[in-house]
Amino acid sequence: MPHPALARERWRALLSRAVACCALLLAALTALPAAAQAEFATLSTGAGKTCAVTTSADVTCWGAYTAVGGPPPPPGPGIFTPEPTTVPAAAPAKTVDAGEQGYQCAVRTDGSIGCWGWAWYFDQDYWPTRNVAPVGLVKTGVSGTAITNFADVAVNDREGCAVQSTGRVRCWQAGAEAINDEIAGITDATAVTSAGEAFCAVRATGGVACWDRGLSRTTGIMMGPVAVWTKGATATNVPGIAGAVSASGTCAVLDDGKVTCWTISHRPKKDEEYVSFTTPTVVEGTGKVWRMASRPGNNCAVRIDTKVVCWGSGAPAVVDGVDLATDVSVGDGFACARDADAKVLCWGAGKYLGNAAVADLPQSPPATPTGNPQVAGSIGPRPELYPLAPSRPLPSTNGGGFGEVTATAIIVRWDAPLNVPESGLKGYEVTLGGQTKSVPPTGDATQFTGLTPSTSYTANVIAIDNDGGRSEPLVIQYTTLADLKIGPPAFEDPDIAGAEITIHWHPTGSLAPVSFLLEVNNQQISLPGSARSYTITGLAGSTNYLIRLTARDGEGQQQATSEVTYRTEPNTLPTPSPSPTPVPTRVPVIAERVFTAKGTTTIATLTKSPMPVTGRVSVMVNDLSEIVGAGSITLNDTQGRSTALGFLPVTATIGFATSQVTLSQASPLALSYKLRVKVKSVKAFGAIPLAGGNNCQTKQLTTIPLASTAGGFSVASGGTLAGNYAISDLNGCGLFGGLVTPLVASTGNPMSLTLTP
């Protein structure tokens, strides 16, 4: 059991991660339309290298990367900086593009662009290189000043293009950043990407426009030192694209979560300004996507469920070992992703992964580069593409007396869709365990019965619009509770002495009985649940007696009976003289005495302030007002409020599900309750769900011993019961289950209940 102070520290650390993930969702709910927003990368991968903007706004690069001022490598691949290396003077940066070969550029926080590295320039007789001055600035001219209104940048092996805050695009050659030209035909760009020798930009209208280097105007030699776009290239719209959120290479993410790709079918020749394209085609099998990276033969995307899916010539497949992803980039044969903890995970060709220890491996599983660089979050909103909001468990309202999950029933709950189609919502289709139910559009829950105890079930909720359209399924996992039943008592060998019979038994079943009812010789005798034997007297010798023993629970809902016949031995005592007619044996009357419970409890790791507790408690009493057995206990949900991280208000809803009630002693009164503590919800600011649910409960039963205090307890007027209890670790708490156990798992938690009739 964690120490309360340690548990609170663990809770703060885990909550920081949860708040970061929730911030992504909050940004989506408050953002402008996705097509008008730019998505700028803080993680970028080139042919064999990766660059990233760290959380401290530095730029670091690794892989086949030559540091600023270093010599250019010979033609062909090579490993030059296998471990992350900071780029001086590039900071403070907000976005970076790793480009191709050895050329890189970054947009700094003041809106200026700095570039560094080297570039290959091919001519007829030799392959010269052009070194770029350390962090050379994009200027208004050779002797001009730095341009400071850039928002995004993209580079290839020798050229760069950038988007200005005005929506215009300027391009330049590596090493000549001060000589740059504006691209015609586009004034509403929001982001730019390189596509080999071409560049493409996302437009504020949701379209995409591209332009191409083409053939040399002066020599006609491909990839010559003078590029077409440097003297008035014109951007051409890619036909058939609407609602583009972001683009990478010649692929775009649309506002419905689909990925569509195209190719450039015509490159400009001498004196030509235009390009043409193949028809964009949707990539099947990616799922709903909100970020992606594309290179020829290597594509990866971040789905809205934070999984990463990649594909080349085959079908898209999920990358194992990468969860809670917020960004992704791809190189030649490898890829890297950023998760919600700002950590980078890279996989694929080992020599490019940023760790010299794996440089010789051809492939490797996801791993963090040496030095664990912490990458800043991407700039721009995450589009909300879920057709249904995640499920939030609510209190049961079906009147059946049980919560969301029992041994044989499950109540599936969901929230209304965030994005309702124009045709309107027709209703929901809910499936679980081979059963399918239709729910009207105003509904948010349905119940499934006849289920198997201790079994995992998957519920699928699909929203259906009035045009027949169906949403992606909302998938919810449940596990039914164990089936706790009282079994019939099992009789053991009796002890028979003359006309006396001592019976022995032991309970069966998965639920311990609260009391037993013994019936013999026209008598009814109530016994506590702890009884295991009883001596029956006043019997006649040499007589058969039918003995019936019934095990009962504390609420009178379950009972199980066993019967046995025993014969007394001959009576060897002398025949007694006649005696007066005996007074009929009094048959005790057992009844349940119910009390209203009101008090407090404190969970050490949640809050130092007591939480209110209300409910009902009962005991079994006879007609002499003597307590003869434990009854039942029902405690209502309660809430605890705390402050996490020193500023963030957190509200936790705690529930109690009783399993067993035992009478430890009648006077002074002492009761023992076995129950499961449930964390039904954990919310930041009282509104943002972080974790919890009706399946989120203690792994072991919690025992709460309550005994009467100094004031005593009476059946007539009640009294106060108090005790301390411990809460074990929890399970079934979902994606952020690790947040919950540190919040409640603790020892020495006091509870005090005042019972009034």
Side-chain angles (χ1 to χ4, degrees), residues 32-41 151-152 163-164 188-192 202-204 244-247 290-291 378-383:
L32 295 175
Q37 300 296 313
E39 285 285 352
F40 305 141
D152 193 22
V163 174
Q164 296 177 280
D188 62 344
T190 62
V192 65
V202 179
R203 311 189 71 147
V245 175
S246 62
W290 71 285
R291 293 298 298 271
S378 60
I379 303 172
R382 168 184 176 177

Side-chain angles (χ1 to χ4, degrees), residues 167 303 553 568:
R303 301 192 315 200
D553 69 359
T568 56

